[in-house]
Amino acid sequence: MMSPDLEHNFSCTNLYDHRPVARVLIPLAYSIICPVGLLGNALALHVIFSNITKLNSITLYSANLAVSDILFCLSLPLRAVYYGLGFHWPLGEGLCKAITLLFYLNCYAGVNFMTCLAVDRFVALVFPQSLVKLRKVKKVRLVCLAIWLLVFAQTLPLLTINLTKTEHDNSITCMEYPNFEGLFKGLPYMLIVGVVLGFGVPLVTIIACYSILTRKLHLAAQSNRLTERSGRTKKARGVIAGVVFVFVVCFSPYHIDLLQYMIRKLFYAPDCMELQSFQISLHITVCLMNLNSCLDPFVYFFACKGYKQKLMRMMKWQAGTHFSSVGRISPESSGIGDVLGTRRNTGITMNTIREAQ
């Protein structure tokens, strides 16, 4: 006998009525996210593994986060094809399961590794001596391995169910929420617990680290102004602020959206219009969550010293190419002398921060 949820979904024929807009905007978004995410994260891996003898806790967490993002970006072209075809997946159940696995691996591996980055910076400044063992490379490798195993264990059950579904118009959908309804008893409870553990706990941990660290640095700056200018202080603030920003922009909308709908389902059965609205909001918030692959390199800018230097050298090379193409103009008349002076000062500042770190 068909479950009420599944029967309800079969009666809803309006769930993908927004496909004319989605088939243009979502592939366009992914065509930007994919190359930017690949380049930014590949640069991070290049910087980290070119200095493999200087691996530490923060570069290890950053490397694992970058690997997660790269694997996910490689699946985006297939997702773009799916949306471009108007929510039609002609590539079979196997590939649908593969990109579903990559999606959830990126999401929750990313959440956990960013949490580790924030906690690492917090421990480095607040408990630099008493908890120094937690930041040893051997222990960090074990933590990274445990995170991958945990996320795999959480997502592997998805491979045991059918993730594709033939709709009333004979299109085949892949990894859509209505495909899950009716397959699990107590689905709302499972998803609410998943949101709390997979997103809520890391978010509270990161905000707590950021709040305590900011308060401690503020008090230290009042007693010693040099502390405020410390490269190590700026690095810690930059890493945790970057992680908070990515959480707020990328992960919060999706999880809040999912949470509110599951809570509503506990009290009543949403009608087709509500389910359609939820579908539209999911497609928007999933795009935002996928944006984390592009924003994570901003975290590396503060976390990985070599990444910052490499990026700045690339920017200087591009600026130098631009100025050389303009022609020979005197520094006095063009202000280039000021630009060069600024570059020299920037180099001194970076050296000062590097020494402080």
Side-chain angles (χ1 to χ4, degrees), residues 168-341:
H168 68 281
D169 59 356
N170 291 323
S171 63
I172 301 173
T173 54
C174 167
M175 204 182 81
E176 299 290 351
Y177 167 74
N179 300 6
F180 294 91
E181 280 199 335
L183 295 178
F184 297 105
K185 287 186 177 180
L187 180 65
Y189 294 101
M190 293 171 60
L191 291 178
I192 288 171
V193 171
V195 168
V196 171
L197 295 180
F199 171 74
V201 172
L203 180 62
V204 170
T205 302
I206 290 168
I207 291 176
C209 288
Y210 185 72
S211 301
I212 296 171
L213 182 61
T214 301
R215 176 64 178 167
K216 181 178 178 65
L217 293 177
H218 177 70
L219 293 175
Q222 287 182 333
S223 59
N224 184 0
R225 296 204 172 190
L226 290 177
T227 303
E228 181 71 19
R229 302 171 188 174
S230 167
R232 192 180 180 191
T233 297
K234 290 180 180 178
K235 181 177 182 178
R237 277 182 168 171
V239 170
I240 301 183
V243 169
V244 171
F245 177 75
V246 172
F247 259 72
V248 170
V249 172
C250 299
F251 294 109
S252 294
Y254 170 79
H255 287 92
I256 291 172
D257 188 31
L258 188 61
L259 184 64
Q260 61 85 23
Y261 189 76
M262 292 304 111
I263 291 174
R264 278 194 284 160
K265 280 183 66 67
L266 294 179
F267 294 98
Y268 68 94
D271 59 23
C272 288
M273 290 302 296
E274 289 180 282
L275 183 54
Q276 184 201 26
S277 298
F278 179 56
Q279 274 290 92
I280 295 172
S281 64
L282 273 184
H283 290 139
I284 295 171
T285 55
V286 165
C287 274
L288 286 174
M289 189 159 62
N290 294 340
L291 189 63
N292 83 90
S293 299
C294 295
L295 295 183
D296 286 344
F298 288 98
V299 178
Y300 309 144
F301 186 85
F302 294 99
C304 304
K305 180 169 56 178
Y307 188 91
K308 185 190 309 180
Q309 294 166 353
K310 187 93 172 177
L311 192 60
M312 291 185 71
R313 281 199 298 268
M314 290 171 62
M315 291 173 66
K316 287 178 182 179
W317 178 80
Q318 290 180 349
T321 304
H322 170 73
F323 283 126
S324 64
S325 65
V326 170
R328 293 186 178 182
I329 305 174
S330 65
E332 292 80 11
S333 62
S334 65
I336 294 176
D338 293 336
V339 173
L340 295 175

Side-chain angles (χ1 to χ4, degrees), residues 20-39:
V21 176
R23 70 188 307 171
V24 174
L25 294 184
I26 298 180
L28 179 62
Y30 286 177
S31 68
I32 297 172
I33 292 172
C34 181
V36 173
L38 283 175
L39 288 173

